[in-house]
Each structure stands twice: as C-alpha cells, then as structure tokens.
Amino acid sequence: MKNHKYILYNILFAIVLMGCEEFLDEKPRMDLVVPESIEDLQGLLDASTMGMNDGPGLTQIGSDDLWTTDAGWVGFIFTAEQNAYLWKENIYDDPFSAEWTMSYRQIFYSNVVLKEVQKFLDVPENKKSDLDNVIGSAHFYRANAFHDLLTVFSNAYDPNTSATDLGVPLRLSPNVEERLERASLEASYAQVIQDLKTAISYLPDRPLFPSRPSRASCYALLARVYLNMGNYEEAGDAAKSALAIKQDLMDYNNLDPNIFYPFAQFNPEVIFHSKMITYMYQFSNQVYVNNELIASYDQDDLRTHLYFTPRGDGRYNFRGHYTGNFSLFCGLATDELYYIISETAVRLGNLEEAATYMNHLLSTRYVSGTLEPITFSNQEEALQKVLLERRKGLLFRGIRWQDMKRLNLDLQQAINMEREIGGEVYTLSANSPRYVFPLPDEEINLGGLKQNPR
Amino acid sequence: MKNALLTVMLWLALIPVGVGMQSQTHPVSGKVYSAEDRQPLPGALVMVQGTNNGVVTDEEGDFRLMIEAGSHVLLISFLGYEPQVLEINVPLDEPINFSLQEEGMAMDAVEIVSTGYQQLSKERATGSFVHADRELVDRRVSPNILERLEDVTPGLVFNRDREGAGTEISIRGTSTLYANAQPLIIVDNFPYDGQIENINPNDVESITVLRDAAAASIWGARAGNGVIVITTKRGIEGDRPRVTFNSNITLREQPDMFYFPQMDVGDFIGVERELFGLGYYNSQENSVQRPLISPVVETLIAERDGIISNMEAERAISEFSQRDVRRELEKYYYRPAVNQQYALNISGGSQSYRYVYSVGLDRNAGDVVDNSDSRITLNGQNHWKFLKNKLNVQAGVYYAQSRSLSGTALPQGYNSPYIHFGDEMGNPLGINRGIRGTFTDGAMGAGLLDWKYYPLAERGMMRDNSETNDLRINTTVSYEIFPGLKAEVLYQYWNAQTNGEVHHPFESFFARDMINTFTQVQPDGTLLRAVPEGGILNLSGVSEESHSLRGQLHYNKVWNKDHEFVGLGGYELKDYGRSDHSVRYYGYDDNIGVNQPVDYLTQYRRYQNNSLGRIPYGNSIGGLTDRFVSYYLNGSYTYKNMYILSASARKDASNLFGVEANQRGVPLWSVGSSWVVSSEKFYNASWLPFLKLRATYGFNGNIDKNVSAYTTAMYMPGSANALSGLRYLQIVNPPNPNLRWERIHITNLALDFESKNRLISGSLEYYYKQGLDLIGDSPFPTSTGIDRFRGNFGATESHGLDVQLVTNILKGRFGWQTYFFHSMIREKVISYDLEAVSRDYVAYGSGALGGSPLPREGFPRYSVFSYAWAGLDPNTGAPRGYINNEPSTNYAGIFSNTQPEDLIYHGPGRPTNFGSVRNDFSFGNFSLSVNVSYRLGYYFRRPTVDYMALLQGRITHEDFARRWTEPGDELITNVPSMPTTLNNNRQAFYNVSEVRIEKGDHVRLQDVRLSYTIGKEKLKTLPFRRLEVYGYANNLGILWKETDAVADPDFRTSRALRSFSMGARIEF
C-alpha cells in the first residue's frame, strides 16, 4: 500500500522539478535567431532580397535619359511613376515612398549590425577579417543609403547654402523609439564621408563575394559623393584610389550584341552591384532613350548595338543593364570612375590628363582602331565634351537626375525640360523645387519632419 | 520554481489528513449510473445518513467512502433523478452499484459536460457550456467532426466572409486582432495537435463547447477563443459486448461551373476585337517577355499580317465564339463526389474492466477525376480497476491513416474562356500556356521540346499523393489515496508522419516547360539542357510529435450533508516538436528511380526572355518547437444543492522566444456562482419547477509567438537570394521589452429554466468580453527602419446574447420537439492606435481570400466600408466619387482626399444575429429532423465586372452586359463603361464604392434527416438489438435572402453543393 503511494509521490515530484526554465529555453523555430554571431551579422548584410543591394528607381524616370508615349505613360501601373515622369506636385498615392523605406531599412540593418558587433570585438585572430568585413560593410551600406536619400530628397550640394539646406535624419542607432529631425545638408554629407572613411579602414581591397562592398567600392562612392559636392580634387583622388585597386574595363569588341542582355551580372567593371527599385517603366518597350542622345553616338560606337534595341521610327529601348538582367543597374562600376577623373581634371584645368582617361575608356567602346582620340583645345569645350561623354556612358544608371541637379547650379549648364502627355505640356525648369522629391506623408505626420517645398 | 514549490506544499498539506483518516474505518465503494442508458453519473452525492460523511462521485460515477463498521444507511442523490436509500452492513465485500431513475420520467438524460480536466453535470456548473450529445453528433453525416457543430451550437459560427480561407470558427466573436483566432480543440483530455480530419466522428461520444471564463479558464492562456472538447466513446462496466455497425454513402453534386454569372463569350471576343483595333496588344506583341496572346488576337494578328485571309479569320473566330471552357471542364474533369463511410464499434466490460474497440473506413471519390482520399481509423480503449477500485488504469491507442491521391490537376495557365481541350473525338489538343504560341512554335523548330500544353493528355499523368499516419497513445493512472482524495497521472504521446509526393513526368507540361526554360544556346549554336530531360519529383515529409503529461489531485468532501467541496489542482507539461523537409529531383525516371544532378548556383538565361535565373531549388528543412508548463487549481463549493461557488486559476509559461523568463508566463483566473432559485423555500411557481441563475467573471488568454522582446531575425536560405545565392537574415521584429500576453476578460450572466413537464426548457446567457493587451500594430515612421511596430496596442469589446429553447410540444406516438437557438453579438475595437488611410479600410469585404481587415477604433474587427458613389459620368460612363463634395473621376485624388471618417460604414462583415430552428418529429418508428438556419445583420461586396481582368484577357462578370455604353445609361445602370487602357484606380474605386455593398441576411434550409428505427424492445424476434436506417440531405438551399445580387450571400462565387446520404446503423 504505502509503496504505491511513495512511487506516485516521487513521480509527481520529479515532474515538478523538471519544470525548470531550461525546458522553456528551446526556440520555437529552428531558423529563428537573436543575431548573436559574426555570421549572423554578415547574414543581415547579405540580405539582398530585403533591399541591401537596391537603390532609388523613381529619380531615373524624371531624368532626360528617357521619354515615353501617351500609351506608355498609361502603362506605368504605379501612380508614383506616372507622377514622377511629369514632375507633378504630388507624387505618391499612399503615405509611403519606396525609396525612403528602402534606404532607411538598409540603415536600420546596418545600425543593428554596428550595435550588436560591439559584443564580438574580442575575437580570435582567424575571425578578425570576418569581423572587419562586417564592421566595414555596415558603414558602407549606411553611407550608400544616406547618399541615395540625399539624391532623392535634398537639394544639390551648394557650399553657400548647405549649412541651412535640409538633409535627412541621420539615424545612427537601431533604437526605433528615437525621434530625429532632418540634419543639415552639410552634416548629412559629412556623415556619408565619415562612414565611408571608416569603412575604408576595415574593408578588404576586393570584396569577399561579388555582392558585398569592398575598399574599392568605398573609394568609388566617395568619388561620386565628392563630385556631387563639387569637391573636384578629392573626387578625382578618390576615383584614382579606386582605380588603383580595380581598373578593369570590358573591351566591348569582345561582347556579343546578339545576346539579349550582352552584359553579365557581376561583370568585370562592376565594383558594387546595386539595382533600382522596380517600377513598370523599367519593363516597358514604350520607354525610349532620349532621341538627341541616341543621335550623338558615332557609327562605330559599339554601344549603339550593345545598349539599345531599335523599335522603328528612330526609337530605341535601353538594354545595356550592368545587372545582366532586366533590372536597371545603379551600383558602382569602373567606367564611372574614368568619367569622374576626366570631368574633375577638366574642371581643375588638367586637360591632357582628362583626355588620356577619356580616350582610354572610349577605346574600349569603339570598334577596334576606329576611335579618333579626343583632344581638348580649351576648358569650356572640354567640359561640354566630357559631360556629353558622361551622359552617353552612364545613361539609365540612376546618375543623371543628380547630375542634372548639380549642373543646374551652374547657370551655363542649366537644363530646362518639357514633356507632353495627353495633350498637356509639363515643364521642369532648372533649379525648380520639383527636383527634390517630397518626403512621404507618414514621415511628416508621425515623425514630424519638415516637408520639402514643391 | 515558485509555482513548483506551491504545488509541493499543496501535497504536503493534504497528506496528514489522509493518513489520519485511514484508521478504524472500512472502505465502501461503488458506482452510480443512470438507469436508462447505464452511463455513469459524475457528481452524484453519496452520504452516510446522520453523519457528515459523504462524497461526490467522480467522472466515472465511482465513489469511495470510509465508514465505521456496523449498520448504516446510504443516501444517494443527484439532481434530476429520484434519490435512493440503501441500508448496508460495513465491512462490505463487494462494491455497490446504484442505478438512478430520472425524476418524473423526463425525456432528456442529464447532460454531462467535460472541460477536458473533469466531467461534471451541467446542473453543477457555473460556467457556460454547450453540450452536443451522441445523438446530435450523429445527426449529421460528414467525415469531419467539427462540421457537425454548425447550426446546432449557440454562439458558434462558421465564418464565410472570406471565401477560400478554410474553416474559420469563432465562438462568441473574435477577441484578438492578429494572434491565432481559432478555438482550442481538446480530444480526450489534451489539446489535439493533429489534423482534425484524422478524428473519426463515429468514435465521438460527445462534444462540449466552453464559452466563458469559468468554463474555459482551466485552459488558461490558450482558451481565449473558446474551447471545443471532444470526448471519444467509452465502454460500460458490466455490460455485455455491444457491437455497432454504421455505414453510409453520401453523394455530393458536381460543382456547378455556371453558378458564377459570367459574361457572354461572344461579348468577350468582341472586346478582344475592339481592343485589337485600338492597338491595345501592340506592346504584348512586341514584348521581350513573350507573354501569352489569346487565340482570337493571334488570329487577328495573322489576318493583319496577311498570313490568313479575312474569311479564314472570321470562320476561326466564329468557331471560338461557339465554345465555352466551362463545358469542357464539366465534360472532362468534374464529377459528383461520393463518400463512403463504414464504422464498426465493439464495447463492453466486466465488473472491473471495460473496453471499446473500433475500426473506421472512409473512402471519398473527389469531384475532380482521378482524385480520391481515404481514411482508416483504429481505436482501442481499455479501462481496468484494481485494488478494490482504488487504482484505475486506462490505456488507449488511436491510429488514423489518411491518404489522398491525385492523378489529375485542373487545367491552368490558359486565360481565354473559349479554349478547347479536345477535338470532337475527345483527342487531346495542344494549347499555349504562359508563353506566346508563335515563339514556342519557333523554339520547337530550334530543337527545344514540345512547348504545348495538352490538358487532356495530362489527365491521370501526374502523381500528387500524400499520406498521414497519426498515432495517439494515452494512459491514465489514478489512485485513491483515501476517500475523497485521488491522485492522477495522465500521459499522452502523439506522433504524426506526413509524406507527400508530387511527380511531374517528362511528358508533363510542367517538366517540359522547366527543361525548355533553362535550355541554353551555346556559342556554337548547340543546345545545353541545364535541367536534364526527365521528370521532376518533389518529396516532402513532416514529422510531428508531442508529449503531454499531467499530474493532478482531485479532492472532494461532503460534510453535514449540505456542504460539498470538489477541488482539482495540478501541473502540466507539453512538448510539441515538428520537423519538416522537402526535396526536389530533376531528370527523374520513374521506371528506374534514377535522377540527375543540376547546377543550382549558376544563373542561367531563361530561353523565352533572356532573364537571369537559377534552377528552382526545392530543398528545405525546418523545425518548430512548442512548449508549455502550466499549473492550475480549480474548486467548487456547493451548499444545499442550491448555492454553488466556483473558482479557477491557472498559470501558463511557454517558450516564447527572446523574452525575459519572467514574461513567459501569464496567470489567469475566474470565479463563478450559481443559485438554484427554484429550490428555495419561498419559491412556489409550480409552472416553472426549475430556475437557476449563474454568473461568472474571469480571464482567458491568447498567445502570439511571433513577437519578441529582443531583435529577432529569421534565416532565409540562399535559394531565396536571387542576387548572390548567399543565405541571409531577415529581421522579424525589433525588440519589444514590454511585451505581454493577450488577455480576454469575460463576464457571463445566465438563467436556466424548465417549465412543468419540460414543455419548455432552455437558457438565456448574456456575456460581455473585453480583449485586453491585444497584439496589434502601431505605425512608425519608416525612417526608424520599420513601418509597423507589433506590440500590445489593441483592445476590443463585445457583448451578446445566446438563447436556447427546447420545446416538447407533443409526446407519445406522435412526437414533436423544437430546438431553437439564437445568438446575437456586437463587437467593437475600442482601442487601436494605427490610423491608416481610407483606402486601407476597404480592402476587406470583397469576399476574396487575403483581404484581412485593418482594425479601426470604434468599429467591429470585421467591418465593411465603402466610398460614396456619385453616379456614372454622363459623358464617359466612368465611375465617380467625391472630392470636396464635388463629383470626380480623379481616383487617386478621391483616395487621398477621403479621410477614414468620410468613408461610409455599412456594418459588420460577419453575422451579428444567427441561429437555427430544428424540428424533430417522430411517428412510431419514423423520425424526421429539419434544420433551418439563419444569419442576419452583415454585409458583403457583391461580385461584379472587373475591367482590369478583362483587359488582361480574363473573362469577367455578366454585369458587363449592363455597363454604360451611351449617355443616358447612367440613369439606369451603375456599371461603368469599358475603359480602353489599364486603369487600376478606376477599377479599384468602383470595387470599393458603395454601390457594391449588399446585405447578407438570409435563411436557409440547412438539412433534413429522416430515419426509421426498430429495436428489440418492440420486436423480440429481431436478430439484433437495434437498427436505424437513415437518409440525410445537406445544403438544401436558401429560403429567403435580402439581396438579389447573388444566389447565396455566403457562397458568392461557387455553389454550396447539395449532398444526399443514405445509411444504416445496426446494434447487436
């Protein structure tokens, strides 16, 4: 009798003791983690699917790289792209902006990494390079995202007004409760440069994987940023530092124009892969390359065959995506560096250097032996030439919009645009506030940020 | 650990009592059961006359008392039954059995409800229970047990507001926003982890639905949505073997392809011709993506290009207009479904042993050819008593094997409604799928595989099979430590293995299309097949297992005859694990079982559009773990059988991820009381001999395991990373250190009554529920990196009434009983911070899957809103809304200028009043049961023409014929004119405008059951004890509906299929 009782008690008592906390420590899903290792943090930065390798797509459609017909415009399914094409006062049909959301998600992921990485600073020697790569990458991604935001949501950088012009909120911590104002344009650019300089000290020269950033990508972005700021000397130096690591150019003579997308993904010129946020205009065969631009290519220019698909009536679609796919490329590539060096050299008066870099690049773009080397007689003519070459080489790369903004600061280069849809004419005059996209409504309502005037 | 200590202390407190009582007395044990059906009566009072000594029978109807030697009188009483008195001489050698006669020979047996922890008579309950007994469970014929609760359970409703969303049951509304909203399902004491389809309804004895805090709070943190307790059949002690065989066959009508009112095929072709004339298809014709172009448009292109003559084109097109793909589907694919059910059940027992064994077989031929499923269930339950009934041991095994086999999938990937699958002789025809025919024709010439799709040839070609083996083993050991105190250990092991196999043979379009897509043209012009020739085989497996363990103490004590205490306390552990995997094999040859490797890493060019892509990777592995640790106490005190007080408390802790240990658990409690007014001395209303009032108050919980206190992230496989193929982490949610469990606060007030001779009996219940700390979203500026923050932001409020009435109008040879219930519910979100734009609130209500509504403060969780309608534009026939009170066709402007408060609120999307009237007639051996159900007070968006679909080549609603075509039409129609360009906002505005809202109110004849029963008591020469032959017809049709817009407000796009069953049940 008694025995039964004690056995029962003991069983029950054992059950009670089992209820220690470890039983409940098991995680509910195998694939769920609280990021807690260098591999986990690298995993956050490798989240291309979450947009780590994406850039703005809405500025491209407003630029003079392209135009469309009435039917083509109707085919833009997203209201935002229809409005952005016509530089309308209101752009979005909801309180969000994909460009804003995407960049700040990149910043959030980077900030999570930079905060969590503090726990692992003390790592064995063989893990040191992984750790450095994570820290450097996070700084690069953050800088890249801030810079993307500045091209969409802020004025071009004018040193005379940058201290008071509005930049973007400089979010440097993953704390979602933190509320920030928009920093000045000057402070915003300073943050981009600081992050890039930090990244340079951590990253390897070349990426560990083609989709990841490297020291070369930091210099290349730095060159773009300095150019946008009008710091020509630093821009040229940064571009040369990047070229010192990676100077590969594809000889277009070796590419097959019969392949629909003649350029490979991660091709030899790509320094950092980034594609534009998807909009319908990118897939439309009724979106045509600027006719004047098309006319500016020489007969022996291989780009006419590799970049364009003829559609009759002198109309051409663009297909020369460095993504190797239907998405538009907006990352960093070596060709851009040559254009930057040429332009900055002209602006600094080194016409010969400018011609050397320009000819080196163009020789890979023409049928072998047909290029008549460019020569510059004076600075003014040289500037016009390098700027035109820059347009011809970097079209549909998400660069033109910011170029238009910065060139407008110089009245001689100012660009006035006109478009006609449905019988109505729309204009965008140089330095119009319409060059700066409005912030999404929810950011004004919830975040209390100051809206851009339109 | 604190709770563990508490439990131990409870033990220690009780032990000395037990030891002290064991001397000088002798045990007297026995059983109390109902004379009519020999079912045990739990909760009957057994007293030794003239002493304080007494107990209440346990859930097996057993009792055990310690009585001093000598002569005593035992009093046995149970509400609703005649009391019994018996003189005994202690010590006794044998247990004593009492069979109680029902009082006044009333018709209904006492209802025994089960909470999953204990069984109690409904008379002793304070909480809100609904009980479906075996007769009611058996009334309907269906393979699924839960379906049998529909339209017979007050407060429980099957939601049909989102067609295709599966069975969504709610009990007294929904008191959560985003967490699980389904009731907890208990099968034989433990939460059931498997597919409910694996439970054979023939094995079910009864179902109890727990609706309020007092009834459900014993289930704590998982009880927030209500609890459904399923109790399987048990044998009866001392009964000779009973064999029951039940068999039935159900015929369900063939799906009706013509139910959805579709536009005329000739009109559709007219639209294609008109659009072709406008150059609408130019972009598709020129597109690098090579999209599918319909046969009519291809004919028109050929005519334009001079490839065929005008006459040939017209002849071809007139032929197309004679066709209808729906007829093809009916001819080649659909058929009536047939379900066969066989169940054999053997039960019986001896003095100290009882058992039940059953075998069930269900075979179902589905409504698509070559589709079938089957279920085999085996069940064995044994119950032994040892040591003079002090030790009870129960052991049971339940095994179910479910199989589904499919050899044919419905044709897909064609748009045009005039496609032909076969020629006059029924020979398979090739059609284009996904990719333009002119391109695939050329590709075939270039050496690719045949790129056509032959739907008829694919009938029976594929193999899409799955099999689940579900095993449940449970055992209970209970031991009576001393009379009144019983210790119990329950354990259940459950295991389910599901294996699936999908084989697309080489000849199938799926395989050929995959191979062609990844065929690479080499620089020298030769073709390289990156996906090798052969079939594609997908295998998947899910392995689930759970252990549930419960240790508990039952205590009951009666003193001074008038005081009665029943208590229960215990500890429970649950460990559920699931692992799944899937693999895909390419180049598979089914005859030799050999497959070939592919390169998943290289990005290939897709043949049809040159885009980059990797070969789809079908391999994955996953795992889930669900663990609970719970403590609970439950007690009730009864005074003079008149006053009952009950209380319950429970604490649950779970393996919530990334939560501080002290936030893993939640304590929940409830109290209740009831008062049998009719037992009071002052009560003398003889016309209403029974009147009872009940009131309960307490909290249930709910859980959302997707939120966490830390930054959590989920690993995604490299195959999901199109760019680099690197595995990556996706942040699931930012940290929320203030996370709490959801709580649902429920007050329930009820009145039970019974008139003289039970002419009318019933109950009336009022409840008030508040969902507190509900997990919801709070909007965040996206510059934080997130746009929504999930936390305890929401609260809901609901109140309602459940009325149940049973009338016994006629008794005797001709019998007539009516069962009526009506449920009313009013729900409201009372706190929710997220204020979205007006457009976000109208997504719900279109009847389609996926449109889960956004909660809005001040409105029901499921609310139907719309935009004000300003009529059609008299010049263009475009739909118009309002901007600043002016009619406008600027749809983006209407959407952005309309504030949420400007939306029209129509009402809830789920019924606010529902119920049913069931009439049971009997005449001699015949009985007839007719159930009429109704749902009132809700709204839906009626289906209408969708021009976006039409412009993309898909046929749409017949409203097309009622569209605006010329000025003046706006006076007689609200259907907009046909646009000639894709205009998403124009269609979107029309979709969510007020003209599409309809009232859902309707009454339907749900089902009819006719049976003939003959028993041995009437005809002694019968070779069996009882025989019932029955026929059952379900979904008989709508009797009344408010709207004319649809044939059935609850089945808007496909018919609720009628079914007819015939069956027989024999008892030997």
Side-chain angles (χ1 to χ4, degrees), chain A residues 188-318:
Chain A
S188 301
Y189 271 92
Q191 180 63 44
V192 173
I193 291 166
Q194 188 194 321
D195 270 338
L196 286 176
K197 286 186 168 162
T198 309
I200 286 169
S201 64
Y202 281 101
L203 284 173
D205 274 353
R206 291 189 175 236
L208 301 177
F209 198 87
S211 60
R212 292 179 184 168
S214 62
R215 191 172 284 152
S217 66
C218 294
Y219 283 122
L221 181 56
L222 204 52
R224 196 190 270 187
V225 173
Y226 279 132
L227 182 70
N228 284 337
M229 296 173 75
N231 289 349
Y232 301 122
E233 201 163 329
E234 277 122 323
D237 288 350
K240 284 172 194 162
S241 301
L243 283 185
I245 299 169
K246 181 175 170 74
Q247 59 282 321
D248 314 337
L249 285 175
M250 288 178 285
D251 185 346
Y252 280 16
N253 287 288
N254 300 332
L255 296 172
D256 181 357
N258 296 317
I259 296 175
F260 191 82
Y261 296 113
F263 302 100
Q265 177 177 296
F266 302 132
N267 69 51
E269 291 184 17
V270 172
I271 298 175
F272 177 71
H273 177 101
S274 185
K275 69 168 174 58
M276 286 187 206
I277 292 171
T278 302
Y279 288 96
M280 290 320 289
Y281 77 86
Q282 297 156 358
F283 301 95
S284 170
N285 54 12
Q286 288 164 308
V287 168
Y288 305 109
V289 180
N290 184 324
N291 292 2
E292 289 170 33
L293 196 55
I294 285 281
S296 69
Y297 291 90
D298 294 335
Q299 208 172 5
D300 292 326
D301 194 330
L302 292 163
R303 290 176 292 193
T304 52
H305 307 294
L306 294 166
Y307 282 5
F308 309 120
T309 312
R311 286 286 170 207
D313 294 344
R315 295 173 182 179
Y316 292 85
N317 293 151
F318 182 77

Side-chain angles (χ1 to χ4, degrees), chain B residues 608-628:
Chain B
Q608 58 269 41
N609 59 15
N610 294 298
S611 62
L612 279 177
R614 293 194 177 84
I615 296 172
Y617 186 69
N619 303 358
S620 71
I621 283 178
L624 300 175
T625 304
D626 208 0
R627 288 180 175 177
F628 277 93

Side-chain angles (χ1 to χ4, degrees), chain A residues 1 9 12 15-16 19 23 25-26 28 30-31 33 40 43 46 49 100 109 171 260 265 273 324-325 442-443, chain B residues 4 11 15 390 479 571 603 605 610 612 623-625 627 655 664 713 715 720-721 723 729 731 781-783:
Chain A
M1 265 315 267
Y9 280 147
L12 287 171
I15 296 166
V16 172
F23 180 69
D25 283 344
E26 185 70 26
M30 247 168 94
D31 46 7
V33 293
D40 289 347
D46 283 334
T49 312
W100 183 270
Y109 274 51
R171 192 164 286 280
F260 191 82
Q265 177 177 296
H273 177 101
N325 211 340
E442 53 91 38
E443 201 62 54
Chain B
W11 280 97
I15 293 164
K390 283 170 98 176
Y479 181 74
Y571 170 92
Q603 298 217 55
R605 296 278 172 197
N610 294 298
L612 279 177
L624 300 175
T625 304
R627 288 180 175 177
N655 62 327
R664 280 178 179 154
Y715 259 109
N721 196 338
L723 177 68
L729 269 178
I731 292 183
T782 42
S783 60

